[in-house]
Amino acid sequence: MLGDSANDLFELPRRSLPPIKIWVTLEERAEIEIRAAQTGLSVSAYMRAAGLNHPVRSVLDLKAVADLVRVNDDLGRVAGLLKLWLAEKRGQGASPVDVEALMEDLWALQTEMRQIMWRAVRGR
Protein backbone atom coordinates (compact mmCIF):
# COMPACT_ATOMS: atom_id res chain seq x y z
CA MET A 1 0.00 0.00 0.00
CA LEU A 2 2.57 2.60 1.11
CA GLY A 3 6.17 2.87 -0.01
CA ASP A 4 9.07 1.59 2.02
CA SER A 5 9.95 4.97 3.50
CA ALA A 6 8.22 6.67 6.40
CA ASN A 7 8.58 9.89 4.40
CA ASP A 8 6.05 8.49 1.94
CA LEU A 9 3.40 9.21 4.58
CA PHE A 10 3.98 12.94 4.18
CA GLU A 11 3.41 12.75 0.44
CA LEU A 12 -0.19 11.54 0.87
CA PRO A 13 -3.05 13.94 1.48
CA ARG A 14 -3.68 14.05 5.23
CA ARG A 15 -7.33 13.02 4.80
CA SER A 16 -6.19 9.66 3.41
CA LEU A 17 -4.12 8.92 6.53
CA PRO A 18 -5.60 7.13 9.54
CA PRO A 19 -6.88 9.53 12.22
CA ILE A 20 -6.16 9.34 15.93
CA LYS A 21 -9.33 9.56 17.97
CA ILE A 22 -9.46 10.92 21.50
CA TRP A 23 -12.32 11.08 23.95
CA VAL A 24 -13.06 14.54 25.35
CA THR A 25 -15.96 16.17 27.16
CA LEU A 26 -17.96 18.89 25.44
CA GLU A 27 -16.18 21.46 27.61
CA GLU A 28 -12.75 20.08 26.67
CA ARG A 29 -13.68 20.08 22.99
CA ALA A 30 -14.86 23.68 23.23
CA GLU A 31 -11.60 24.69 24.95
CA ILE A 32 -9.52 22.91 22.29
CA GLU A 33 -11.49 24.61 19.52
CA ILE A 34 -11.01 28.03 21.16
CA ARG A 35 -7.26 27.46 21.55
CA ALA A 36 -6.96 26.27 17.95
CA ALA A 37 -8.80 29.37 16.73
CA GLN A 38 -6.48 31.59 18.80
CA THR A 39 -3.51 30.12 16.95
CA GLY A 40 -5.11 30.32 13.52
CA LEU A 41 -4.83 26.53 13.13
CA SER A 42 -7.47 23.92 12.47
CA VAL A 43 -8.30 21.67 15.42
CA SER A 44 -6.46 18.84 13.68
CA ALA A 45 -3.32 20.93 13.06
CA TYR A 46 -3.45 22.29 16.62
CA MET A 47 -3.74 18.81 18.15
CA ARG A 48 -0.95 17.51 15.89
CA ALA A 49 1.36 20.34 16.92
CA ALA A 50 0.49 19.93 20.60
CA GLY A 51 0.86 16.14 20.44
CA LEU A 52 4.27 16.41 18.77
CA ASN A 53 5.34 19.07 21.28
CA HIS A 54 5.81 21.70 18.59
CA PRO A 55 5.54 25.33 19.70
CA VAL A 56 2.05 26.70 19.16
CA ARG A 57 1.87 30.49 19.09
CA SER A 58 -1.24 32.54 19.44
CA VAL A 59 -2.20 34.72 16.49
CA LEU A 60 -3.19 37.30 19.10
CA ASP A 61 0.39 37.39 20.42
CA LEU A 62 1.77 38.01 16.95
CA LYS A 63 -0.80 40.77 16.35
CA ALA A 64 0.20 42.34 19.67
CA VAL A 65 3.84 42.27 18.58
CA ALA A 66 2.90 43.96 15.30
CA ASP A 67 1.08 46.65 17.29
CA LEU A 68 4.13 47.09 19.51
CA VAL A 69 6.31 47.49 16.41
CA ARG A 70 4.07 50.34 15.21
CA VAL A 71 4.20 52.05 18.62
CA ASN A 72 7.97 51.55 18.74
CA ASP A 73 8.28 53.22 15.34
CA ASP A 74 6.12 56.11 16.53
CA LEU A 75 8.34 56.55 19.58
CA GLY A 76 11.37 56.68 17.31
CA ARG A 77 9.76 59.36 15.16
CA VAL A 78 8.86 61.44 18.23
CA ALA A 79 12.40 61.17 19.56
CA GLY A 80 13.72 62.20 16.15
CA LEU A 81 11.44 65.24 16.07
CA LEU A 82 12.51 66.20 19.58
CA LYS A 83 16.14 65.91 18.59
CA LEU A 84 15.52 68.10 15.52
CA TRP A 85 13.64 70.65 17.63
CA LEU A 86 16.45 70.69 20.17
CA ALA A 87 19.01 71.32 17.44
CA GLU A 88 17.02 74.11 15.73
CA LYS A 89 15.24 75.82 18.64
CA ARG A 90 17.71 75.32 21.46
CA GLY A 91 16.48 77.05 24.62
CA GLN A 92 13.00 77.89 23.30
CA GLY A 93 10.02 76.41 25.14
CA ALA A 94 11.27 73.60 27.35
CA SER A 95 14.80 73.56 28.63
CA PRO A 96 17.29 71.46 26.62
CA VAL A 97 17.96 69.35 29.72
CA ASP A 98 14.24 68.48 30.01
CA VAL A 99 14.03 67.61 26.30
CA GLU A 100 17.15 65.44 26.47
CA ALA A 101 15.74 63.66 29.54
CA LEU A 102 12.49 63.02 27.65
CA MET A 103 14.45 61.63 24.70
CA GLU A 104 16.35 59.29 27.00
CA ASP A 105 13.03 58.12 28.46
CA LEU A 106 11.69 57.46 24.95
CA TRP A 107 14.80 55.46 24.03
CA ALA A 108 14.49 53.47 27.26
CA LEU A 109 10.85 52.71 26.37
CA GLN A 110 11.91 51.59 22.90
CA THR A 111 14.51 49.26 24.39
CA GLU A 112 11.95 47.80 26.79
CA MET A 113 9.43 47.34 23.96
CA ARG A 114 12.01 45.53 21.83
CA GLN A 115 12.74 43.17 24.71
CA ILE A 116 9.02 42.48 25.19
CA MET A 117 8.57 41.84 21.47
CA TRP A 118 11.59 39.52 21.42
CA ARG A 119 10.23 37.51 24.37
CA ALA A 120 6.76 37.31 22.76
CA VAL A 121 8.13 36.11 19.43
CA ARG A 122 10.51 33.64 21.07
CA GLY A 123 7.69 32.33 23.26
CA ARG A 124 9.26 33.12 26.64
Side-chain angles (χ1 to χ4, degrees), residues 6 9-10 18 21 24 38 43 50 52 55 73 75 94 103 108 118:
L9 290 175
F10 297 107
K21 296 181 182 181
V24 295
Q38 288 174 341
V43 171
L52 295 172
D73 292 346
L75 281 173
M103 287 174 52
W118 178 252

Side-chain angles (χ1 to χ4, degrees), residues 74-95:
D74 290 343
L75 281 173
R77 283 188 285 279
V78 168
L81 289 171
L82 283 172
K83 185 176 181 180
L84 179 65
W85 175 82
L86 185 59
E88 291 182 358
K89 308 253 186 202
R90 194 152 192 88
Q92 295 179 13
S95 72

Side-chain angles (χ1 to χ4, degrees), residues 32-72:
I32 290 168
E33 289 172 347
I34 288 168
R35 290 182 184 201
Q38 288 174 341
T39 64
L41 297 173
S42 66
V43 171
S44 179
Y46 174 80
M47 293 299 292
R48 185 180 319 106
L52 295 172
N53 201 28
H54 293 165
V56 180
R57 292 200 180 102
S58 170
V59 171
L60 300 176
D61 290 344
L62 296 177
K63 287 180 183 176
V65 170
D67 290 341
L68 284 172
V69 167
R70 282 191 291 280
V71 171
N72 186 56

Side-chain angles (χ1 to χ4, degrees), residues 2 16 18 31 41 83 93 112:
L2 297 176
S16 65
E31 180 67 24
L41 297 173
K83 185 176 181 180
E112 184 179 351

